[in-house]
Amino acid sequence: MTPEEIAVKFEGHDHEIKSLKHRMDAQEEESKSIQALVVSVEKMAVSMENMLAEQKKQGKRLEELEREPAEAHRQIKMSVITASVSAIVGAIAGAVLVLL
């Protein structure tokens, strides 16, 4: 090979190396962007897990709050029935005692 041919080959290699460096720089930037996206998605997943746990807690508290009026209504109803039955039984017992 002549010195001119060697110089032409070196020039071609130099051009390819510059092109590869440029492509590698672009690849590194893209890799950084992808890594940042992965971190963001991971944070979002953790946040969603926390929100789901909080929603479950709120659901349990809501069920308890909804159950309270029903329980109170049931207790009042039982008290009224018990008082009514007691009054009727007392009246019957009083009538029986008066007749004796």
Side-chain angles (χ1 to χ4, degrees):
M1 278 185 125
T2 64
E4 290 86 27
E5 292 174 338
I6 294 173
V8 169
K9 277 201 175 221
F10 274 133
E11 182 66 32
H13 288 303
D14 188 43
H15 180 69
E16 281 187 45
I17 289 171
K18 286 180 182 178
S19 175
L20 289 172
K21 282 183 180 181
H22 177 72
R23 290 174 62 192
M24 194 60 181
D25 289 342
Q27 187 65 36
E28 286 175 356
E29 287 298 317
E30 188 175 322
S31 178
K32 286 178 185 178
S33 297
I34 290 172
Q35 185 63 30
L37 181 63
V38 167
V39 169
S40 295
V41 169
E42 188 174 324
K43 286 180 181 179
M44 188 171 63
V46 169
S47 178
M48 289 180 73
E49 286 177 14
N50 291 337
M51 287 190 323
L52 178 62
E54 183 62 31
Q55 280 183 333
K56 286 180 181 179
K57 289 178 190 176
Q58 287 178 355
K60 289 177 184 176
R61 288 193 302 255
L62 182 61
E63 284 178 18
E64 290 174 11
L65 288 173
E66 288 174 343
R67 203 175 309 127
E68 277 183 25
E71 281 292 317
H73 179 69
R74 187 183 66 79
Q75 288 177 351
I76 291 170
K77 191 166 99 175
M78 289 303 293
S79 297
V80 169
I81 291 171
T82 302
S84 299
V85 170
S86 296
I88 292 170
V89 170
I92 291 173
V96 171
L97 287 175
V98 170
L99 291 176
L100 291 177

